[in-house]
Amino acid sequence: IVPNFWCEHQEPASINATKLAESIREKYFAKAEDDDSPDIIISTHAGTLVTLLIRESSVYMYVMLGEGGELPLDTTLPPNSRWHIEKSSDGQSGALVCELFFAPCSVGSGNVESELAEIIIDFLGELVAL
């Protein structure tokens, strides 16, 4: 857990990956290897395969793009989208990524996984709409 002024007296806690995947499954297929898994694989009904990485104070989601790391020509990201393209250092590949930050002290509250899942589902909905 990242040190946080507002949470300095709370016990360290973590996000339960299995619970998060179960909450995401209300809308999309999601699978975690176990409770402590650092990643979750999500498949949308549009066939998009998303990898979600659980980090210390954020959730990082990405979709690998095809050769050249570009979106298909008929697809554009809305200007206010939380999704953006990140290219590899050699420019040969890229990914569509989205990072969601959360307050570490909300972890351990008993419902952080369901709260995060609701936000993640909204961001995945934006991706599916593309």
Side-chain angles (χ1 to χ4, degrees):
I1 299 299
V2 175
N4 183 310
F5 171 79
W6 301 107
C7 311
E8 63 185 17
H9 300 297
Q10 289 206 350
E11 290 294 318
S14 59
I15 293 174
N16 183 309
T18 304
K19 282 184 183 178
L20 182 57
E22 287 170 1
S23 295
I24 293 169
R25 272 198 295 265
E26 291 180 18
K27 179 81 176 181
Y28 303 108
F29 172 79
K31 182 179 185 309
E33 292 298 318
D34 56 41
D35 292 353
D36 298 323
S37 180
D39 65 314
I40 296 173
I41 302 299
I42 303 167
S43 179
T44 69
H45 53 270
T48 306
L49 190 64
V50 179
T51 303
L52 181 146
L53 301 174
I54 300 171
R55 301 168 78 180
E56 289 180 331
S57 62
S58 68
V59 172
Y60 186 82
M61 296 180 285
Y62 68 91
V63 176
M64 295 303 294
L65 297 173
E67 191 174 319
E70 299 290 337
L71 288 173
L73 292 176
D74 59 345
T75 307
T76 56
L77 289 171
N80 59 348
S81 176
R82 294 284 300 261
W83 291 90
H84 64 278
I85 296 175
E86 288 186 9
K87 293 245 183 183
S88 63
S89 59
D90 64 5
Q92 297 300 308
S93 60
L96 193 57
V97 300
C98 177
E99 190 164 14
L100 164 67
F101 295 94
F102 59 88
C105 57
S106 67
V107 174
S109 65
N111 60 357
V112 70
E113 289 88 359
S114 59
E115 291 174 6
L116 273 176
E118 287 178 23
I119 297 167
I120 290 165
I121 287 169
D122 286 345
F123 287 131
L124 290 171
E126 181 183 329
L127 176 66
V128 170
L130 294 174

